[in-house]
């Protein structure tokens, strides 16, 4: 295995629906469709661009937050960041844990070589409940996302392998992460009461 730390210095489809008796996890390969679905379901979409994280090696785990969502990245061998691309130091799986859980999660997810060049890769993305997507990714704009109509999503794991025989090491890489957060029922109720109170005051 090669270690990065050794370097000096609209139309894509819903891919799958995994169902239970009362809920489903839906996977998408189009950000536009995932975003529209999430917003229509009442979620707020929050974006982590990684742009505020300096380039270089980071010990695992690494934690940060955006828009009230706390996330922690983990990978054996550590993590590596370059120009807003968040990846691993070794060609191993990259996992993001999320707190509080979200109803939707996705990102521009792909494989890179040791120098952060995008390489055609077979990428597998797996959620904490076992729902997964496997597909061919060849650009930093390629998207994979999920939306759960049941239990909240608390982690997403990305792995990558060469897209053709004889390919070299591939590092799973995220350019952006997107979270679809739905207010808790208590918060929704409070918002409703606040709106009702405001209407009453206006009528008085």
């Amino acid at each position: 295995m090669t270690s990065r730390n050794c370097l000096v210095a609209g139309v894509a489809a819903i891919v799958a629906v995994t169902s239970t008796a009362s809920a489903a996890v839906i996977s998408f390969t189009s950000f536009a469709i995932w975003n529209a679905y999430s917003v229509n379901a009442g979620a707020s979409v929050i974006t982590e661009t990684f742009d505020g994280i300096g380039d270089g090696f980071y010990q695992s785990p690494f934690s940060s937050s955006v828009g009230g969502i706390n996330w922690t990245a983990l990978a054996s061998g550590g993590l590596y960041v370059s120009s807003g691309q968040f990846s691993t130091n070794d060609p191993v799986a990259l996992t993001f844990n999320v707190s509080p859980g979200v109803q939707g999660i996705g990102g521009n997810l792909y494989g890179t070589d040791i120098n952060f060049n995008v390489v055609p890769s077979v990428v597998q993305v797996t959620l904490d409940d076992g729902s997964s997507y496997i597909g061919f990714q060849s650009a930093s704009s390629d998207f994979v996302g999920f939306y759960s109509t049941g239990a909240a999503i608390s982690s997403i794991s990305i792995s990558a392998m060469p897209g053709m025989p004889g390919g070299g090491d591939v590092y799973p890489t995220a350019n952006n992460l997107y979270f679809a957060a739905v207010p808790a029922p208590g918060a929704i109720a409070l918002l409703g009461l606040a709106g009702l109170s405001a209407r009453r005051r206006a009528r008085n």
Side-chain angles (χ1 to χ4, degrees):
M1 287 189 182
T2 308
S3 173
R4 278 199 166 111
N5 200 30
C6 293
L7 288 177
V8 177
V11 184
I14 294 175
V15 178
V17 179
T18 305
S19 300
T20 64
S22 59
V25 173
I26 309 165
S27 60
F28 303 80
T29 55
S30 164
F31 171 73
I33 297 173
W34 176 89
N35 185 69
Y37 186 96
S38 300
V39 171
N40 189 59
S44 297
V45 174
I46 300 161
T47 304
E48 174 58 81
T49 65
F50 306 118
D51 289 341
I53 302 172
D55 291 359
F57 172 79
Y58 291 88
Q59 294 286 347
S60 174
F62 176 88
S63 296
S64 188
S65 63
V66 60
I69 303 295
N70 302 307
W71 59 266
T72 299
L74 306 97
S76 61
L79 305 155
Y80 214 96
V81 179
S82 176
S83 301
Q85 298 180 95
F86 199 104
S87 188
T88 57
N89 187 55
D90 294 326
V92 296
L94 170 62
T95 298
F96 292 95
N97 292 334
V98 180
S99 176
V102 292
Q103 292 308 119
I105 193 167
N108 302 112
L109 310 174
Y110 50 95
T112 56
D113 65 16
I114 194 169
N115 296 310
F116 277 90
N117 299 307
V118 178
V119 294
S121 310
V122 176
V123 173
Q124 179 169 355
V125 187
T126 307
L127 302 184
D128 48 287
D129 73 344
S131 300
S132 65
Y133 163 89
I134 300 176
F136 186 76
Q137 308 286 89
S138 59
S140 60
S141 58
D142 287 348
F143 175 84
V144 178
F146 299 86
Y147 196 93
S148 172
T149 63
I153 298 165
S154 60
S155 78
I156 185 171
S157 181
I158 307 107
S159 59
M161 63 189 75
M164 56 190 69
D169 290 333
V170 180
Y171 302 77
T173 304
N175 194 19
N176 297 291
L177 272 186
Y178 305 99
F179 308 104
V182 176
I188 294 172
L190 286 174
L191 287 172
L193 287 173
L196 179 60
S197 175
R199 286 195 297 274
R200 284 178 175 166
R201 282 198 298 271
R203 285 175 183 163
N204 289 337

